[in-house]
């Protein structure tokens, strides 16, 4: 049954439970079994939620037997990264120093919404400490490995979430994205992910990092699954549903330093879409620098007291960057915030003519763990700090972005689909259109689905 779960998406799980072909307990147990079997090879899961998951699944089955419809995500197992409050568990934010923190008194709002829709939480998932990194190399919980090639990184900071979905441990998962922490691991693992319009999804009960840029979002193996989960997280909030149909490629900064296979893949995508125009945004390097400064300043300020009291409890790689951020003058931070308006006007002008901007999510395939560098301007640079080369300038603007996996052979490659604020649902719909044409494709395992209730 665990193998069958790996072949099922969100919609298939819901259909199987609602029609009685499988029970919610079947699916929860299959997810737990799959985690036990597969997780040792990839290290995506930090805690399995066996007791909670089976109790909630049994209660869901009882409601179905009584004739109720538990909701649009009935019986679907899922996981969340360690930033989310889970009732009766410590919220570690991936940090060893918080592993014995007081247990959360309630679930995060996003988890409450998913539970109300019938989803079953089965696991918490690995991440970079305090979400400050792009590779999920955690000093306490270890490195999360890429299901496509365990010798490579899964990306970060929400790498455990991406790897869990890509490996078929769960049909969907939640993570957070400040500067690319959903988009990068989605790209490197070959699945879909979303950074929503800033502030449009509930952040209550999510451990903070950079309030100006932080958002939560979902991972899934198909765009249609992503759409369903995103709609539940929005809680019925309105969105601009007008279709998007005028794409353009972002050039300049976004075409430099790419791996050859990514350059080829983008040219093929453009040709398939009718040789779409190329647009350049000005001074992208300044936007990336401004996003970096905002991140450093706000992150440093958040941790200043804890760093002063117990600096050795932090991962050194995280600690040093937080200390540097805490030392930044406020005037530098204010200048970085002010530049967002300037860069935002340039992006708005581009989106007035082209309602979807397409850019790489990462320079190319996942870097190797034994060679943790990427080339920038001909020199190797640490992947942990620099995989956000193409995501950070977009994060800076608070625009909705869908990370979509490009179809093709070889290691996964992913793109960012970017649109104007409030166009989240339409953007996911655009991704569904690309998927339907075979231009994007998640790493979903295929095969038949059992119709018994074993």
């Amino acid at each position: 049954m665990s193998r069958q779960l790996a072949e099922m998406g969100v919609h298939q799980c819901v259909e199987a439970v609602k029609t009685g072909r499988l029970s919610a307990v079947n699916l929860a147990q299959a997810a737990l079994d799959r985690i036990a079997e597969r997780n040792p090879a990839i290290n995506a899961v930090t805690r399995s939620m066996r007791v909670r998951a089976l109790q909630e699944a049994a209660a869901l089955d009882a409601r179905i037997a009584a004739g109720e419809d538990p909701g649009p995500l009935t019986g679907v197992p899922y996981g969340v990264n360690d930033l989310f409050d889970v009732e009766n568990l410590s919220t570690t934010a991936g940090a060893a120093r918080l592993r014995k923190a007081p247990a959360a008194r309630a679930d995060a709002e996003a988890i409450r919404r998913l539970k109300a829709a019938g989803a079953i939480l089965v696991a918490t998932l690995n991440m970079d400490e305090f979400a400050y990194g792009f590779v999920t190399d955690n000093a306490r919980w270890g490195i999360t490995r890429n299901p496509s090639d365990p010798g490579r990184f899964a990306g970060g900071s929400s790498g455990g979430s991406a790897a869990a979905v890509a490996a078929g441990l769960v049909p969907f998962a939640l993570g957070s994205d400040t500067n690319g922490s959903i988009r990068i691991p989605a790209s490197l693992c070959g699945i879909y992910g979303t950074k929503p319009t800033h502030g449009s999804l509930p952040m209550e009960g999510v451990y903070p990092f950079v309030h100006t840029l932080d958002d939560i979002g979902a991972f899934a193996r198909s765009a249609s699954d992503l759409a369903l989960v995103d709609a539940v997280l929005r809680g019925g909030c309105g969105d601009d549903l007008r279709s998007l149909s005028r794409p353009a490629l972002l050039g300049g900064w976004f075409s430099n330093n790419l791996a050859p296979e990514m350059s080829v893949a983008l040219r093929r995508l453009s040709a398939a879409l009718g040789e779409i125009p190329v647009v350049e945004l000005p001074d992208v390097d300044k936007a990336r620098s401004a996003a970096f400064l905002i991140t450093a300043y706000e992150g440093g300020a958040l941790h200043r007291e804890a760093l002063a009291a117990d600096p050795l409890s932090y991962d050194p790689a995280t600690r040093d960057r937080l200390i540097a951020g805490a030392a930044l003058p406020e005037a530098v931070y204010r200048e970085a915030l002010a530049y967002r308006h300037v860069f935002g006007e340039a992006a708005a002008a581009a989106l007035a003519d082209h309602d979807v901007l397409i850019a790489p999510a990462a320079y190319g395939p996942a870097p190797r763990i034994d060679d943790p560098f990427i080339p920038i301007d001909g020199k190797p640079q640490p992947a942990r700090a620099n995989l956000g080369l193409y995501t950070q300038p977009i994060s800076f603007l608070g625009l909705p972005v869908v990370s979509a996996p490009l179809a093709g052979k070889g290691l996964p490659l992913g793109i960012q689909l970017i649109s104007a604020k409030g166009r989240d649902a339409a953007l996911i719909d655009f991704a569904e259109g690309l998927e339907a044409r075979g231009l994007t494709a998640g790493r979903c395992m295929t095969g038949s689905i059992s119709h018994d209730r074993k």
Side-chain angles (χ1 to χ4, degrees):
M1 181 63 199
S2 65
R3 171 72 184 189
Q4 294 162 9
L5 173 70
E7 299 165 353
M8 298 172 71
V10 173
H11 284 84
Q12 291 169 304
C13 288
V14 173
E15 188 269 343
V17 175
K18 285 191 173 183
T19 60
R21 292 186 292 179
L22 294 171
S23 69
V25 168
N26 288 155
L27 285 180
Q29 186 62 62
L32 294 166
D33 290 346
R34 178 76 175 168
I35 289 168
E37 295 164 4
R38 187 76 175 92
N39 188 63
I42 59 172
N43 192 37
V45 174
T46 54
R47 294 171 291 196
S48 291
M49 310 280 296
R50 178 172 295 275
V51 173
R52 170 174 169 154
L54 294 178
Q55 287 178 346
E56 290 187 0
L60 205 67
D61 287 333
R63 291 175 60 191
I64 294 171
E68 293 184 42
D69 180 352
L73 295 176
T74 293
V76 184
Y78 75 101
V80 299
N81 72 0
D82 280 335
L83 280 178
F84 290 80
D85 284 353
V86 177
E87 187 177 8
N88 296 323
L89 291 183
S90 297
T91 305
T92 72
R97 70 184 312 273
L98 296 181
R99 67 190 185 280
K100 295 183 180 179
R105 296 183 178 180
D107 289 338
E109 174 61 22
I111 294 176
R112 289 197 291 268
R113 292 185 185 185
L114 294 172
K115 181 179 179 180
I120 305 295
L121 180 63
V122 299
T124 61
L125 305 166
N126 200 16
M127 56 180 286
D128 284 298
E129 182 177 87
F130 293 117
Y132 210 170
F134 290 128
V135 294
T136 310
D137 183 355
N138 189 290
R140 167 62 178 83
W141 282 275
I143 296 173
T144 294
R145 295 175 177 272
N146 196 310
S148 295
D149 178 351
R152 296 177 184 269
F153 288 114
S157 65
S158 301
S161 298
V165 173
L169 307 188
V170 287
F172 79 92
L174 298 189
S176 67
D177 191 312
T178 301
N179 282 303
S181 290
I182 287 175
R183 289 162 287 161
I184 291 167
S187 170
L188 300 186
C189 290
I191 59 173
Y192 293 83
T194 182
K195 178 175 173 68
T197 297
H198 182 62
S200 63
L201 294 184
M203 294 294 295
E204 295 89 349
V206 179
Y207 198 96
F209 177 32
V210 180
H211 65 83
T212 298
L213 305 176
D214 287 349
D215 286 296
I216 65 165
F219 296 89
R221 294 194 297 269
S222 74
S224 60
D225 283 354
L226 192 68
L228 180 54
V229 176
D230 185 79
V232 169
L233 290 172
R234 291 185 185 282
C237 295
D239 199 357
D240 188 342
L241 297 176
R242 291 173 297 158
S243 63
L244 303 172
S245 59
R246 295 172 296 138
L249 281 177
L250 285 179
W253 176 276
F254 297 95
S255 60
N256 296 333
N257 293 301
L258 296 177
E261 54 265 55
M262 176 61 86
S263 295
V264 169
L266 288 172
R267 288 197 296 270
R268 287 175 177 168
L269 177 64
S270 178
L273 294 174
E275 299 295 349
I276 60 177
V278 176
V279 174
E280 290 194 27
L281 298 177
D283 299 323
V284 181
D285 57 334
K286 293 182 181 179
R288 187 196 179 208
S289 295
F292 175 86
L293 290 169
I294 291 168
T295 300
Y297 181 89
E298 292 188 12
L302 181 68
H303 289 273
R304 184 179 286 113
E305 291 185 6
L307 285 166
D310 188 11
L312 296 182
S313 65
Y314 284 77
D315 176 352
T318 306
R319 178 187 64 226
D320 293 348
R321 286 187 290 164
L322 290 173
I323 290 174
L328 283 173
E330 184 177 353
V332 171
Y333 170 64
R334 295 297 174 191
E335 185 178 355
L337 286 175
Y339 188 69
R340 184 166 51 173
H341 175 71
V342 176
F343 191 63
E345 286 188 337
L351 285 167
D353 295 326
H354 311 283
D355 51 19
V356 178
L357 302 177
I358 301 175
Y363 87 105
R368 290 195 58 81
I369 294 170
D370 60 6
D371 185 21
F373 299 94
I374 62 173
I376 300 178
D377 297 333
K379 297 180 180 179
Q381 300 291 343
R384 182 170 186 164
N386 290 287
L387 273 170
L389 193 66
Y390 308 107
T391 54
Q392 283 173 302
I394 305 304
S395 303
F396 183 59
L397 299 174
L399 301 174
V401 190
V402 171
S403 181
L406 290 169
K409 298 179 181 179
L411 292 167
L413 301 170
I415 53 172
Q416 297 181 87
L417 305 173
I418 307 154
S419 195
K421 292 180 180 179
R423 306 306 308 276
D424 300 66
L427 193 59
I428 297 174
D429 183 69
F430 183 87
E432 288 188 69
L434 295 181
E435 186 177 41
R437 294 175 60 180
L439 302 180
T440 62
R443 300 270 156 166
C444 187
M445 301 172 70
T446 59
S448 61
I449 299 171
S450 172
H451 288 182
D452 63 25
R453 296 176 64 92
K454 293 180 181 178

